[in-house]
Amino acid sequence: MTAPKLRFKEFSGNWETSPLKALCKINQGLQIAIENRFLEDGENRFFYITNEFLKEGSKKNYFIENPPKSVICDESDILMTRTGNTGQVVTDVKGAFHNNFFKIDFDRSIINRNFFIEFLKKDTTQHLILKYAGASTIPDLNHSDFYRIVMPITTIEEQTKIATFLSAVDEKISQLSQKLHLLGQYKQGMMQKLFSQQIRFKVDDGSEFGEWKSIQLKDIAERITRKNKEENQNALTISAQMGLVNQQEYFSKQIASRDLSKYYLLHKGEYAYNKSYSAGYPMGAIKRLKLYDKGVVSTLYICFSLNKHINSDFFEQYVESGALVPELEKIAQEGARNHGLLNISLQEFFEVNLWTPCLEEQTKIANFLSSIDKKIDVISEQLEQAKLWKKGLLQQMFV
């Protein structure tokens, strides 16, 4: 067999390949009914590793009593989900594992643990796992299909060198992820303090700005009902993370009808409000068109532009902070939904209250928060580049 494209100079010779059946042994976990699980640890109890454990932010922990030795694992073992979110590799956890998991046992004098993990996480391996698991609603990987996956093998010394290098790359990715998380938390905290007026900026001469005023959205915004007479084909949708984005790019297909003449035409800098719930936006999302000069949106959206009495950057940050959510909650009663849309009328929307300082203080707040956004963008780009770099390394360091 051939050697990898990218290789440490002290190693030479061809790699071998072998089906996983010849390299490892897998065993399935144990299914315990919910009524037979415990919510607290105790004597002879083991943490029960389930798919619930893999969900980000999950706080529910289960324990089971006296499981058989075959379903007990420690931090050095490799687990993999065989159904549900099939192919997810789980390590560094101690307990007893559910029936949805395999534990993978192998000769560690022949295969380096971290090398094996990297192989299982590779895009090509994951693609093969999902292919073998089937295209049903809940893919399910059986033993024989897992065993027929072919793994490239080199000396344990070269495996260890590759795994150590990739672990260093993972550490860099982890550091960038943590930095991004902390910056996001810092910005969220500063937004809460700024928009609740716990922190106030001062005039350049050191004097205090005046009091904030309560206004209604209609005082600073004008509804847009501009129809798409120019036959613009840039159909947009609202993404929680990216704002107003092209439907085809976001969904990899066009969702809107081909006839876009009745859609609203937006110009850069104008806003659209989607009245349906999305993650992180319980009262719907308000987004500014920033990525394109023009675009069209469904007439289900409430579209508007801002006047000269408000700094648009300030308004965008105000909305992103969640400061409008309590006001929208007052007019959108729980359960008052129509086909997934919040029951908020045009009049009610434009009569929501918001608190604003003078334009000069608005500008200072907007500039401060925008400076944090720029740092977040830089770290996000570095993180994406690091992930792409690792992906490229995996393609070149494995046969």
Side-chain angles (χ1 to χ4, degrees), residues 4-15:
K5 292 179 182 178
L6 188 62
R7 201 170 192 185
F8 293 103
K9 61 182 180 180
E10 62 265 39
F11 300 105
S12 60
N14 287 337
W15 286 30

Side-chain angles (χ1 to χ4, degrees), residues 180-384:
L180 187 62
H181 175 69
L182 292 173
L183 264 175
Q185 282 189 322
Y186 171 68
K187 187 197 171 186
Q188 193 63 36
M190 291 306 298
M191 284 196 298
Q192 296 300 326
K193 290 178 179 178
L194 285 166
F195 294 124
S196 65
Q197 302 176 56
Q198 291 178 49
I199 295 177
R200 293 287 304 272
F201 282 97
K202 291 186 177 182
V203 184
D204 290 342
D205 63 10
S207 60
E208 304 285 341
F209 281 114
E211 294 299 311
W212 287 34
K213 295 179 181 179
S214 176
I215 62 171
Q216 291 185 324
L217 184 58
K218 66 182 179 182
D219 297 327
I220 57 166
E222 183 178 347
R223 188 186 174 204
I224 292 172
T225 56
R226 183 193 304 118
K227 289 296 174 66
N228 182 26
K229 293 180 180 179
E230 63 184 53
E231 297 183 2
N232 186 294
Q233 295 300 302
N234 185 22
L236 305 174
T237 191
I238 285 184
S239 156
Q241 299 300 320
M242 300 165 63
L244 282 160
V245 294
N246 178 275
Q247 280 189 7
Q248 210 153 3
E249 293 173 10
Y250 187 69
F251 294 111
S252 299
K253 61 180 179 179
Q254 186 98 344
I255 302 298
S257 62
R258 290 185 179 180
D259 180 13
L260 303 176
S261 61
K262 294 181 181 179
Y263 273 51
Y264 292 145
L265 177 66
L266 285 182
H267 293 169
K268 195 169 191 176
E270 295 174 340
Y271 289 82
Y273 170 47
N274 181 4
K275 294 193 293 181
S276 62
Y277 166 85
S278 60
Y281 296 88
M283 291 293 109
I286 298 172
K287 295 291 182 178
R288 177 163 55 156
L289 180 57
K290 299 165 80 172
L291 299 177
Y292 320 97
D293 290 330
K294 293 181 181 180
V296 294
V297 297
S298 164
T299 52
L300 291 173
Y301 289 6
I302 298 177
C303 302
F304 60 94
S305 60
L306 299 177
N307 61 31
K308 63 181 181 180
H309 300 300
I310 188 90
N311 180 302
S312 193
D313 292 332
F314 170 85
F315 179 80
E316 184 178 37
Q317 297 285 0
Y318 187 91
V319 167
E320 282 301 309
S321 75
L324 269 187
V325 169
E327 297 300 317
L328 291 169
E329 284 177 335
K330 291 176 185 176
I331 56 176
Q333 297 301 315
E334 187 67 32
R337 294 170 183 262
N338 180 22
H339 301 296
L341 298 177
L342 293 162
N343 190 19
I344 297 175
S345 71
L346 278 168
Q347 181 178 339
E348 288 171 329
F349 177 70
F350 283 105
E351 288 180 352
V352 295
N353 294 309
L354 58 157
W355 287 87
T356 59
C358 67
L359 275 169
E360 189 179 348
E361 189 175 2
Q362 288 179 35
T363 302
K364 283 182 177 287
I365 291 170
N367 289 346
F368 173 73
L369 294 174
S370 294
S371 70
I372 302 174
D373 284 336
K374 287 176 183 175
K375 292 176 183 176
I376 289 173
D377 289 342
V378 169
I379 300 301
S380 295
E381 179 62 24
Q382 289 175 351
L383 180 59
E384 285 308 305

